[in-house]
Amino acid sequence: MTEAVEKLILEHLKGLRNELQTRRNESREQLAQIRSRLISLEERLTLVERGIANLHGDLGIVHGRLDRPEARIERIEKRLELTAV
């Protein structure tokens, strides 16, 4: 091969190497962004799960509060003999 052809091939190879390096860097940046977004989504999901757990706890408290007056009314009705046996 002539020296001119070798230089041309070398230039093309260097260009390909630089392009490959650029694309590799872009891919790394995109992957870092994806990881960041995934972490953010995981954190949000954790907050949603905690919120749901809190709602379940609150619902239990509300049911307990609703049951108390009902039981109290039943006791009053029994004392006053207002219920059918």
Side-chain angles (χ1 to χ4, degrees), residues 11-82:
E11 284 182 36
H12 281 287
L13 289 174
K14 285 180 181 179
L16 289 172
R17 182 178 62 191
N18 290 338
E19 185 178 332
L20 181 61
Q21 186 64 35
T22 301
R23 290 182 188 254
R24 189 178 296 147
N25 289 338
E26 289 171 355
S27 295
R28 286 181 181 149
E29 289 173 7
Q30 289 175 351
L31 184 58
Q33 290 174 353
I34 291 169
R35 284 180 179 160
S36 175
R37 292 177 68 188
L38 180 59
I39 289 170
S40 176
L41 286 172
E42 288 173 337
E43 290 171 351
R44 289 180 186 178
L45 180 60
T46 300
L47 292 174
V48 169
E49 289 171 341
R50 286 182 189 164
I52 290 171
N54 288 338
L55 287 174
H56 281 288
D58 292 345
L59 189 59
I61 291 170
V62 168
H63 281 297
R65 288 182 180 169
L66 291 175
D67 288 343
R68 276 188 255 149
E70 187 176 314
R72 196 169 173 200
I73 291 171
E74 287 177 10
R75 286 194 311 267
I76 292 170
E77 288 175 343
K78 284 181 185 178
R79 283 188 208 146
L80 298 175
E81 299 176 357
L82 297 175

Side-chain angles (χ1 to χ4, degrees), residues 5-15:
V5 173
E6 288 177 3
K7 284 184 179 180
L8 184 61
I9 292 172
L10 187 59
E11 284 182 36
H12 281 287
L13 289 174
K14 285 180 181 179

